Amino acid sequence: MSDSVKKDQAAAKRRKRFHKIKIGIATLVAAAFAILFLLPIILTITNSFMSSSEISANYGSVFATNDRGGKVYISERVTLKFIPDMVSFSQYITVLFKSPDYLLKFWNSVVLVGPIVVFQLFVAALASYGFTRYRGKLREIIFFSYIILMLMPYQVTLVPNYLVAGWLKTINTYWAIWLPGIFSPFAVFLLTKYMRRIPTSVIEAAQIDGAGEWQIFKRVCMPLCKGAICSAAILIFIDYWNMVEQPLILLADEEKHPLSVFLSKINAGEIGLAFAVATVYMVPSLLVFLYGEEYLVDGITYQGGIKG
């Protein structure tokens, strides 16, 4: 074997070894970030099984207030505790059985979010099909306006939404939350960009076979956009499941507030309950994400209209 061949083989081995080292380092970094991001969830779940006295002893100084209701300086270091001294289900018993207010707020969240997810997808599917099938200067201007609205944070549009809700007399009703959510531009943008990747030849073939617009929409576009629809549904659900500003401003009646508002107003006497409520509140989001993870990735990364 010649020296040049040996050098090439040695160089290939070095490159392969270097590539494995890079993969190992990247894996370790990713694992470190994953553990860092999972720590709050693990802490919330494990602390929900602590007794009230143990939670107060561990974290009471964090939520302590002075005589005027202000926060006090934490003079001692707070240690995060992941393993309870004794497992207790008292927090869950209170949340699920003894105090119906928490379950009422949980179902308020379901009532608020469910119609938004369903009808926003319905409106977005129809609008996206129109933006895809019929091009023109006016429609491009309207679509560009959708993008501008999507880029604006909700706090910017909160005052106009409040004024419109007052004009429609929907303040302190679920409609004040439903209407802005149903006509939100996010799903329209996502589905339109996805639907425009469907090859024109597919739609033309359907037209040659005698399919009308409704049949093309129902039997061609919707099945091909299944991944994008599932992605949009997951993202919409997570976004509105965690909303706080909308119900605080538009719903004056606290009995109509979702559970997310309670979690944003934790006081010193409800620390243990807050851990249990937060754990219960995480379950729907985790189930939706785990069930639709494949669709979420497919809907965001898929760049074509038809899979081979």
Side-chain angles (χ1 to χ4, degrees):
M1 186 178 294
S2 63
D3 294 338
S4 60
V5 174
K6 291 181 180 179
K7 289 181 180 179
D8 292 339
Q9 290 179 346
K13 289 181 179 179
R14 285 195 298 269
R15 286 194 298 268
K16 188 175 182 180
R17 190 182 304 114
F18 181 69
H19 181 65
K20 289 182 177 179
I21 292 174
K22 287 198 302 183
I23 292 177
I25 294 174
T27 303
L28 291 176
V29 172
F33 277 104
I35 293 172
L36 184 64
F37 290 138
L38 287 174
L39 280 179
I41 298 176
I42 297 173
L43 182 70
T44 300
I45 295 174
T46 56
N47 281 216
S48 67
F49 293 101
M50 291 183 182
S51 62
S52 300
S53 58
E54 186 177 356
I55 291 176
S56 299
N58 293 333
Y59 309 111
S61 58
V62 177
F63 297 91
T65 57
N66 53 30
D67 297 336
R68 292 173 294 181
K71 294 294 183 180
V72 299
Y73 175 73
I74 303 176
S75 58
E76 56 187 32
R77 184 167 61 179
V78 177
T79 303
L80 299 179
K81 191 172 183 180
F82 289 91
I83 302 176
D85 294 334
M86 185 176 64
V87 176
S88 172
F89 294 92
S90 59
Q91 312 293 357
Y92 288 99
I93 294 173
T94 301
V95 170
L96 298 176
F97 301 106
K98 291 185 178 180
S99 181
D101 291 339
Y102 303 112
L103 286 180
L104 174 63
K105 294 183 183 298
F106 179 88
W107 287 112
N108 284 345
S109 299
V110 175
V111 170
L112 285 171
V113 177
I116 291 177
V117 174
V118 173
F119 289 102
Q120 185 180 146
L121 289 176
F122 178 75
V123 172
L126 295 175
S128 301
Y129 182 75
F131 284 129
T132 301
R133 292 282 290 127
Y134 305 102
R135 302 290 184 91
K137 185 174 293 186
L138 178 60
R139 288 178 176 82
E140 292 301 323
I141 292 174
I142 296 175
F143 185 69
F144 180 74
S145 302
Y146 265 79
I147 297 176
I148 296 298
L149 288 174
M150 187 185 68
L151 294 177
M152 289 184 180
Y154 183 79
Q155 291 78 4
V156 174
T157 59
L158 186 58
V159 173
N161 281 337
Y162 183 84
L163 295 176
V164 172
W167 179 69
L168 294 174
K169 294 181 172 46
T170 58
I171 295 292
N172 201 32
T173 67
Y174 289 147
W175 287 104
I177 307 294
W178 285 339
L179 289 177
I182 289 172
F183 296 99
S184 176
F186 169 73
V188 176
F189 170 78
L190 185 64
L191 291 181
T192 300
K193 301 302 289 184
Y194 194 95
M195 202 175 292
R196 284 181 175 178
R197 298 189 184 111
I198 298 176
T200 308
S201 58
V202 176
I203 297 177
E204 291 176 348
Q207 289 176 324
I208 292 173
D209 290 338
E213 293 296 338
W214 175 250
Q215 290 177 317
I216 295 174
F217 170 75
K218 181 181 178 181
R219 299 181 181 275
V220 178
C221 292
M222 287 298 97
L224 292 177
C225 294
K226 181 180 178 181
I229 293 172
C230 292
S231 300
I234 294 170
L235 296 174
I236 293 168
F237 176 85
I238 294 175
D239 183 25
Y240 284 93
W241 188 253
N242 299 317
M243 63 180 171
V244 175
E245 296 94 343
Q246 298 96 313
L248 277 176
I249 301 299
L250 300 172
L251 298 177
D253 188 358
E254 291 189 0
E255 291 186 358
K256 296 180 179 179
H257 284 176
L259 199 54
S260 54
V261 174
F262 164 77
L263 292 174
S264 68
K265 299 188 295 185
I266 300 172
N267 56 57
E270 298 173 322
I271 305 173
L273 290 177
F275 280 121
V277 173
T279 302
V280 173
Y281 198 61
M282 283 191 297
V283 171
S285 298
L286 291 175
L287 291 178
V288 168
F289 176 77
L290 293 175
Y291 176 76
E293 180 184 4
E294 181 181 351
Y295 296 110
L296 179 63
V297 175
D298 177 71
I300 293 176
T301 60
Y302 181 46
Q303 298 296 318
I306 299 178
K307 291 184 179 180

